[in-house]
Amino acid sequence: MIFVHTCGTALIQAGSTRLTPKSVLKFALLLYLSAERGRWVSRAVLRNLIFPDQDEKNAKHSLRELVYQLRQRGAVVETDSYGLLLPVEAVRADYDELLHGDRPDVRILKAIGASGFLPGYAPDHSEAYTEWFEGYRARMAFELCKCFLNTIDQARIDSDWLMMEHAARACLAVDSVNEDATMALAEILAVGGARAQAIGVLDRYVEEVGPSAHGLTLPAAVLRRRIRDHLQDGYSVNVDFPLVGRQREMTVLRQRLAMAKTGESQCVVLYGQPGIGKSRLAADCCAWATLAGWRVERVAVQPHDRDRPMAAFVEAIPGILKLPGALGASPESLSALTRLTKHELREPRVELESAESSDAVSAAIVRAIGDVIDAVTNESPLILLVEDVQWLDVESLRTLAGLVSPRRPRPFLLLLTSRERDSVRYFARHAERLASVEIGELAADNCAMLVRETIGDGTSEADRSFREWLVNASGGNPFFLHSLVRHYQTTGEEFCVSPTINALLDQRLATLTPEAMTVLWTSVALGNHSTLERLIAALEMPHMELVTTIRELEVARLIGQAGSLVTPVHWLISDAVTRNAS
């Protein structure tokens, strides 16, 4: 069997022999026969390609000698008086998997992205062979680029950003001016927070194509402007975790974006425990939408906003008024929104004379919000991202729900994140076109992949044990995993829980009702004996109250069922309960 390695290296294995381009003639002959496998090649053609400087007699002898040496090394080369043949079944090339497989191997994509196709191989022993090789490389580049672009498209559909990045880099390593791969790589870098690198990729493309080719460089210029002017700063963290394991959630968001763009206003609520990745998922969705021409306005709600009427819009309206099209709203609407967002001192007598009922003022503000959003969405589709809506006041919640009414068609997406499922219930009752997405824990293999991407595999048994501990200790929570890895990188301490995680768990426990805390503490105290029957006997609570409390803990992802036991879902929770118990 002959193995031809072209992706990221130039190597041919013939039996137990490894041939590199340093073996000029053997490598050239095997590469040519491998490319023409299954087809007889005349001896005259091969003599002209491999031994152009020899006369016919010497070239015939040299070819026979070369074939003999290859056979001695284990290559199955068939011959007759006409020519030479490598059987199809006797040759395997690493690019076969790329061209004919369903899903490319990430390792092959990485290898091509790092070094290209047959890197460093530039034969010069024969002008005819050089000409053939240039055509061969061009054909393979065309076929490989088709494969890579199909992979990029499929990865975009599947929201598999790592695969998309590897395929884009591999495509550019083969064809440095491929427009689709350039745009895809720039988008990936920009969404990941590397805006300067993304702009650099686009600038190099424009420079290589030529600034005079305006038609070819226009898409790159548009994307560059969106990245520079509209895309917000990404997450600035010491450990840059890629977004993995969220294909299902991103698919829902992409579908709702497509529906909203047609004028059907949509509402999406992402809910889950703290640190599970709601904000990261929402930020990535908004970043991709921005690159597609959407406008995004973000509001981060704080706990004290419960007592601030219309708190979400006090924060959001100033930014919305700066968007293109906002000035198209009526003067009355702009005046009402100015009254909402700016505090004006007036004399008491004037204030009394111009006093209006609070209901009338509130109604005018709600109408004005709808008016200005209509004006903005007439120019471009809009996403309003509101994070931590569990802390919002009632007036803001009611107004947000009204923005997605089907009676007012507009290209508008209301994207909400919440730590509590109650937010989903509220919008299910008061808003139409709702999609609720629960953000669950990452699968263990995804966490293991993040650990490998960040701190490597490790070679010793102790290294592997520590990496398994990181995965298990995180409990599938990306924030926990990030904190554990960052603590290790900062201090060098292994098998140590970071203070950040302890503080977050303490905060989660502090929000529990006394009844819920009692049930959780009793479950920890009973340990391996914490069955439902023993909880009933130990607590002597009314059954309905106990069921309601257990449900509260289950929704908060603090307890779960393991066989017949009702126990905390993770040992870190047990540790936090014990640490806070009297």
Side-chain angles (χ1 to χ4, degrees), residues 244 442-452 471 474-478 481:
V244 297
L442 285 178
D445 56 345
N446 286 322
C447 293
M449 187 271 289
L450 290 175
V451 171
R452 287 196 303 271
V471 173
S474 70
N477 187 303
L481 183 61

Side-chain angles (χ1 to χ4, degrees), residues 480 496-510 517 520-521 524-525 558 568 570-582:
F480 285 6
C496 182
V497 179
S498 70
T500 305
I501 295 179
N502 289 332
L504 181 60
L505 290 175
D506 292 345
Q507 182 181 1
R508 288 176 63 185
L509 295 180
M517 193 64 202
L520 182 59
W521 187 90
V524 173
L558 293 173
H570 198 278
W571 63 266
L572 285 174
I573 296 173
S574 300
D575 182 65
V577 171
T578 304
R579 189 173 61 252
N580 286 277
S582 61

Side-chain angles (χ1 to χ4, degrees), residues 465-478:
S465 176
F466 173 59
R467 281 149 179 77
E468 291 176 2
W469 179 86
L470 287 173
V471 173
N472 295 329
S474 70
N477 187 303

